[in-house]
Amino acid sequence: MMRFKRGAPSLAALTAATMLTLPATAQDWSERSTIGTSRSGRAIEVTTLGKPGADALGRSRDQRPALLLVAGVQGQHAIGRDAAGAVTGRILSDHRGLLETHTLYVIHELSPDASGWLGGTPSMEFGRTRTPGDADHDGRIDEDGADDLNADGLITMMRIANPSPSSGLTAEWVIDDVEPRLMRKPKGEDGEVATHAMLIEGIDNDNDGAFNEDGPGGSAGGGVNLDMNFPSHYDEHADGGGLYTTSEPETRAIIDWLLKHDNIVAALVYGPHDNLVKAPAVGKFDPSGRMPEGLEKGDEPMHKAIGKAFTDITGMKEAPAGETDGSLVSYLYTDFGVWSFSTPVWVRPDQVKNDGDGDKEEGDAKADAEPTEPRAPDEAAILREQGVPEFIVEFLTASEEDRGEMMAGFESLSPDEQASRMEQMSQLPDDVRNRVMAIAQGGEDPGMPTPEGAKPDAETKDKKEDKSKGDKDELAWLQYSDEERDGEGFVDWVEIDHPQLGRVEVGGFAPGFRVNPPASELEPLVEQQAEFVSALLAKLPSLSVSEPEAERLGQGLWRVRVRATNPGFLPTRSAMGAKARRTAPVVISIDVEPDTIVSGPRHHQFWTIEGSGGHADCEWIIRAELGQTINVTTRTGVFGDRSGRVELKEGR
Amino acid sequence: MQHIRNLIIAGLAAFMTAPSLAQDHIPGKVEIPFNRYSTFAELEGHLKDLAAAYPDLIELRSIGKSGQGRDMWLAIINSKKTGPHESKPAMWIDGNIHANEIQGAETVLYSIWYLTKAYGVNEDLTKLLDTYSFYMLPCVNPDSRAFFFAKEGTPHYPRWNQRPVDNDRDGLVDEDGPDDLDGDGSITQMWMEDPDGRWRRDRDDPRIFTRVAADEKGDWTRLGQEGIDNDGDGRTNEDGPGGDDMNRNWPGDWKPNYIQYGAGTYPFSNPETRAIGTWVYDHPNIAAYQSYHNSGGMILRGPGASYLSSRYPQQDQRVYDEIGRLGEQLLPYYNYLIIHKDLYDVHGGEATWAGETLGIISFTNELWTAGKYFQRDNERPSDEQMWTFRDKLQFGQAYKQLTEYDHPEHGKVLIGGLNKYSSRNTPTFMLEEECHRNFAFTMFHADQMPVLSFERVEVKHEGGALWSVTVEVRNDKLIPTRTAITARRGIGTNDLITLEGAEVVASGSLANWRDKTISEARHEPGRVQLASGVGGRSSVIHRFYVEGARGDRVTVRLKAEKAADIETELRLDTE
């Protein structure tokens, strides 16, 4: 039987191939340093790419607008590490011009301790650190992880037919009739009965009745998933999240380092999840009501624009979405306050547009992505059909934020208009009126009433969706393995004697197969990623400040003007960044004695300056002598500091 | 001869101890005045003196350094002869995380002082210290405490630590703090005569300014806190020294600065909170938690936010309520309250971290309240009564007379008002009492930490080689070995009951001694986990079926994170 060998070549091999062949002059353009050490003492490195020395504005690499690329947060995602390493070299060799004005930081392996699980013996698709844990609270550490029972060097799954009562297991699965290598849940409504239990490959090492409940490769225990250890939406006491948020040295190492690099304005994370093909949701918040779960509304257009640039380059039309609570991606956005993107780098070939696909087919592909899902009924249309007035339709279909504004707007209507609207309200169908009142009184939106038999309740629907999608996804992976990979992605079920369970079958997807591509695909992926990273660098916000101008208004009275412009594409900070206000705003100050200022604040502050030529103007009227030189200082917090001067002369 | 000398010694001893028996005063080896406040340096001196005087009871350890390099002094209070401190349930007590809330440190210092001098003299406290250990850290915020005494402060400032922070986001750090213009060591208020002012000065008592009604004209303007516009940005005192509000820097429901002001850059980002956090995570024997703040006379518990109410299951609420209500009796004018409901939302607070993240019964006391000025059962005293108190009982010492000052920006102003020791910090002549009452409250809380014993054991011959061994383990105290939140959210290690010395073939729990059948512990019958531990003032009964020969000895142990382990050796025999 073919056995899957981890496809991507090692980072060391790649960096040797890409970086060491650079011309000698490029060596100064990159610098490696250590940001901290893992729990096991391995170095966590950052590579800084940028033109050495000061740029035209006198800025060092750490003062220019920067993009951060992070990979290796979860250990099973080898392609991320390898791609990050290779992209580093590619940017240096092919896109060096961008590095004259921008900086790229690459942390190619945030969790060096976690990288060994997939490449180790046995190989397991496990991405956590090596922090000791006691997931089952029994006072024993990591005592019951996965075990390679069929000695094939891989941790896969076990299926147990008709588990005996003494096993403590319950049958919950059946063998799929169409594809007998796959398991599925029984169709209870057809009277189908579950026949199999499924477990991760392993034994109950500590004889406590639970299999693989506390150790590496198991269902729980064994290390920390760093993507669950950051403070944003941290899920306290969850398995894999660590003792407390930021408990891990790797987490603190990157946060401490980030806090010293305010010049970072955007980040790209290579990891299992995507937020570029499909942008995160808008309008959901944590229980405090302030931290978005997804995007701030104001960031959606820009995030989608970057997403489009990404899909144009990569052709990806589907990618695994979703993100763990406490992830790095979420921290970078909701707390550190910068644009934060993520991609798995590689997806199954059928999830990528073919070269021949035209726009029309793209539309087809979209339909293909949700083939059987009936379209959600158009809420607005249904309401209009019921004769609901337009202002109520708008209100009910608006986001929470917009509803707030609409209600405030209602308050400011004239008494007559208010009365007219109240009258219309009283004639609404009962369920619609109740909904409006519930929202207006600060309650939750009870949602659209369900037409009888039209759709099952939300929870059942979600489950059904997940299941069919999961089945479909597994089938697609299996087909891909069979047709394009000589079957190496799936270990066929074989019977073995389990010391505790008797005859069981071991098999399933090879560890890492669904995460990492074969080595042959690396080259084009790196090509794409280098192109996207360079596109992103070119879109970063920046700041140029005009030389101050002075105009004589009268005897000893002068107007001084300066303009700050953002020549980049993205605004100087995201809506989230403006809300978090973690870094100082752009501050433009006139360096004169405060009591000589006749008009204007001594310090102008700008929290955000829009991209694509957006600008901010500062003006002062001051009392000063002819011939005096006036200095204007700009402190940007992010884009380096600078100063300009103007000599007061007759005329302009 | 020998006999006579013994008699003399006995007589002398009786004479010497008689006075201390006649009154409740307990003499100590170190005298510390509790009618005054100690600077951080003085506090260090007292702690070192105490540790030197009571080497068998106090181990003074620096568990870290503050941002400016001061020691984080922890006093480990433990009676070494009854076992190492880690082997006993321990109570954590700290204070003064907010530097302006200075009497928190005195209260902890008093607790160390009183508990150690009472050991071997007072029966109750001796027993308490033989059973439990204490981790007491008087000052969580050494740098700002030092600042408060040495430099200018107000009753409300400095609250935070001294980590340099750009509060006004102008790119400069700590460039415009308040200035002690009149050089009295306090930051008071500045007033300016102003025909358009909205304040008027009281004719009878010129110290008092009152705001005029909307249709009235005033003649004074309040310029705010004493200071100048150091950075010339048109604002005064907008970016002073520091810092982070360290009581928002703990990893329980932590939220960043834009949601929780003062939160710090991430949980435990400050060396002070990190030092404590590391100690507490390394010492799972901590079973009770107390922090001291001021002011308002409150005994506070979590949750810090309404959405965390489920972290306080009924069983735990009963424990909180019983301790909190006794506290209300011991602490006149104090109320037992819930943080988010009765005060405000706190994200990332210390006491809520201890309660909600670690599952430890945890209180924060807000020391001192205006009700204590006159100690009558009326409502909050009037402003007039407050002045009477300050004038007649404090002889005006909490007040700086208004004096003229030539201000660089405003010209002639008046500077004066209540000084930094006023209003929130206990008047010194009442300090000892406040310390003592709060000390007594925490000793009651400490005395509720779990203590296990074998209430009843029974060995029964079941025929052939089969025996049953049944034990009832009792916790006489109010706090369970595992609080309900601990059990519910899977915090820490489960309690373990084990039997060694014979092969255990089955085991399980009994609801009571009349129960005929066990509720079986299916796996590892000789090593059974008790996820819910041993409840407060209740028992668990466990029966082991073992195979062994008559006369074999077996050992039953109960191991718990938050109680001293117990064991008993039994013989397979019928008495």
Side-chain angles (χ1 to χ4, degrees), chain A residues 132-288:
Chain A
D134 180 12
D136 57 348
H137 315 287
D138 67 349
R140 292 180 290 219
I141 306 292
D142 294 340
E143 77 287 357
D144 189 359
D147 308 273
D148 181 16
L149 298 179
N150 61 344
D152 64 350
L154 308 174
I155 297 297
T156 53
M157 298 296 288
M158 300 193 294
R159 62 184 187 190
I160 304 105
N162 305 311
S164 73
S166 67
S167 70
L169 301 173
T170 314
E172 289 176 12
W173 302 83
V174 293
I175 293 175
D176 189 82
D177 21 20
V178 180
E179 173 44 82
R181 284 175 295 178
L182 295 180
M183 307 298 288
R184 63 168 172 81
K185 293 276 173 146
K187 294 171 189 152
E189 61 271 29
D190 298 346
E192 199 173 28
V193 177
T195 54
H196 283 74
M198 281 187 73
L199 293 171
I200 292 171
E201 186 179 349
I203 56 173
D204 174 11
N205 305 67
D206 59 347
N207 285 310
D208 67 348
F211 288 81
N212 314 322
E213 82 290 352
D214 189 9
S219 53
V224 174
N225 178 354
L226 291 185
D227 258 338
M228 295 173 69
N229 192 238
F230 287 86
S232 301
H233 309 298
Y234 179 71
D235 188 1
E236 204 166 52
H237 306 131
D239 174 61
L243 194 56
Y244 57 88
T245 175
T246 70
S247 61
E248 300 311 295
E250 296 88 348
T251 313
R252 290 202 299 275
I254 190 170
I255 293 180
D256 282 335
W257 179 84
L258 282 166
L259 293 172
K260 288 187 214 121
H261 290 81
D262 285 347
N263 59 318
I264 293 169
V265 288
L268 174 62
V269 176
Y270 289 164
H273 297 124
D274 161 88
N275 75 3
L276 282 161
V277 175
K278 190 167 188 294
V282 164
K284 285 174 72 185
F285 294 88
D286 78 343
S288 82

Side-chain angles (χ1 to χ4, degrees), chain B residues 124 187 261 331 399 463 508-509 574:
Chain B
D124 290 0
I187 299 297
Y261 192 51
L331 296 159
Y399 182 80
S509 60
T574 33

Side-chain angles (χ1 to χ4, degrees), chain A residues 536-595:
Chain A
L536 200 47
L537 276 169
K539 287 182 194 303
L540 295 187
S542 188
L543 197 74
S544 64
V545 185
S546 70
E547 282 298 314
E549 291 169 18
E551 175 192 354
R552 184 176 176 277
L553 298 178
Q555 181 70 51
L557 201 62
W558 301 81
R559 186 193 306 281
V560 179
R561 253 194 221 108
V562 73
R563 167 172 282 193
T565 309
N566 173 7
F569 171 76
L570 292 168
T572 53
R573 70 179 81 204
S574 62
M576 183 61 242
K579 179 178 183 174
R581 296 195 168 188
R582 194 190 53 78
T583 49
V586 171
V587 179
I588 303 182
S589 314
I590 188 159
D591 301 335
V592 295
E593 283 302 315
D595 55 10

